[in-house]
Amino acid sequence: MLIKNIKTLVGVDEDFCQVKKGAEMKNLPTINNAWLLIEKNKIADFGKMETCPERNDDIIDASGKMIFPSWCDSHTHLVFAGSREGEFRDRIEGLSYEEIARRGGGILNSAKRLRVTPEEDLLEQAWTRLEEVKNFGTGVIEIKSGYGLTVESELKMLRVIRKLKAISPLKIKSTFLGAHALPPEFKENRNGYIQLIINELLPQIADEGLADYIDVFCEKVAFSPAETEQIMEAGSKYNLKPKIHTNQFNCMGGIEASVKHGAISVDHLEVVNDAEIEVLKNSNTMATLLPSAPFFINDHYPPARKLIDAGLPVALATDFNPGSTPSGRMSFVVSLACIKMKMLPEEAINAATINGAVALELQNDFGSIARGKVANVFITKPMSSIAFLPYSFGSNLVETVILNGEIS
Ligand code: NIG
Ligand code: FE
């Protein structure tokens, strides 16, 4: 497939650069008036129109349009049962997200529904969401368990993710989040639930190869840093690297614990202190920010500027889930990053593409327009400039989705 007359080819990567940190995050190389050649499922070549190869068939004319590398959404809970608009109403009437969680709502509310939902139903619901985000331009996605909270139902969720991996053209990675909330059956026995994760769930998950990563919700309403460490240690015995939910509401040592265990990413970071920024500077752990969560629950936004100005890399992801972010729309996340966190459009786009790929260890194959990478890209509607994308926060500017080199 040859795409010609591309107004701007965005996220061009000539030197196969990997993570973008600090000041480099502003650097989003582009080619104006470009062509892009896709062979089989890979990006074969690209350049300026003056050098465009001759070809008679399989040509797309992209006059006035731009091409972006697909979004890499490195944090979602896309497998869930039903919705939670009752809690949405409760928050409008004054309850906070944490208060709802303490009353047994929140994650436990979703767990109750998921446990009684058959696997095929869950798959169908997740598939509909995956199709939606595909049309929003996402080509790589991470999906977590964490609404089962029993052996049977956590495995059910992970098997749904495995099925999605098999049938979807998106590149999917799967994360085991058994430690998302303490299930009611273990209310008086925290350690009992942690032991169930370590001794019953982890061996079965490893045996069936059901997870790529392990996650813990490290927060006052969920698990402590010591419990998080215990679970990360257990995961490492099965080569499951951590990606940890932390610092959503409180600074309580989650970042330090995660870095100590070689976490690939720490996610949320609505609150971060200076000492934690220092810890991140001495690590390879990605700071993954999820601004549509504070948008939806009306909380404050992560200090993206402070992180980037400290020289750190930042990734952006949706956190698509039924409680704090019922949206999988990456372009809205990019808009929020610009509007609410003062990231430049170029920084936000790098955070949502190459750095998202790094947060899933997929930067060698996804996240930029580089020769030899998988051809996961989207063609936009006609656009005046790159900034037009985050500026048009209510529009879907993705016109054509190409995954594995095929129009999808
Ligand atoms: O990342 N904070 C923990 N987990 C999810 C929300 C889960 C839920 O409310 O269902 C999050 O925001
Ligand atoms: Fe999350």
Side-chain angles (χ1 to χ4, degrees), residues 41-151:
N41 64 335
K42 297 279 171 65
I43 295 171
D45 208 354
F46 50 80
K48 282 194 94 53
M49 272 313 286
E50 297 90 270
T51 64
C52 188
E54 288 289 318
R55 236 183 122 124
N56 303 320
D57 56 342
D58 233 351
I59 296 176
I60 297 179
D61 190 311
S63 297
K65 303 171 184 179
M66 300 196 179
I67 294 190
F68 283 67
S70 295
W71 305 126
C72 297
D73 188 353
S74 63
H75 180 138
T76 85
H77 310 249
L78 174 127
V79 175
F80 57 86
S83 54
R84 300 210 316 252
E85 62 269 35
E87 295 174 6
F88 175 65
R89 197 176 266 281
D90 292 340
R91 275 195 303 279
I92 296 169
E93 291 180 331
L95 282 182
S96 73
Y97 179 85
E98 284 171 291
E99 279 161 350
I100 293 167
R102 281 202 193 88
R103 287 179 170 198
I107 295 165
L108 298 184
N109 188 351
S110 287
K112 218 181 284 165
R113 297 188 65 161
L114 186 132
R115 289 176 183 184
V116 297
T117 305
E119 195 171 316
E120 309 75 65
D121 268 24
L122 268 183
L123 177 66
E124 206 177 297
Q125 292 185 41
W127 179 256
T128 305
R129 293 179 201 119
L130 199 56
E131 282 291 296
E132 184 188 39
V133 305
K134 184 184 84 182
N135 293 327
F136 289 155
T138 299
V140 174
I141 194 165
E142 180 256 21
I143 310 176
K144 300 170 193 295
S145 73
Y147 290 122
L149 313 178
T150 61
V151 172

Side-chain angles (χ1 to χ4, degrees), residues 5 21 99 228:
N5 300 322
K21 298 182 182 186
E99 279 161 350
T228 304

Side-chain angles (χ1 to χ4, degrees), residues 75 77 144 180 245 268 290 319 321:
H75 180 138
H77 310 249
K144 300 170 193 295
H180 198 191
H245 277 79
H268 268 293
L290 316 164
D319 199 15
N321 76 73

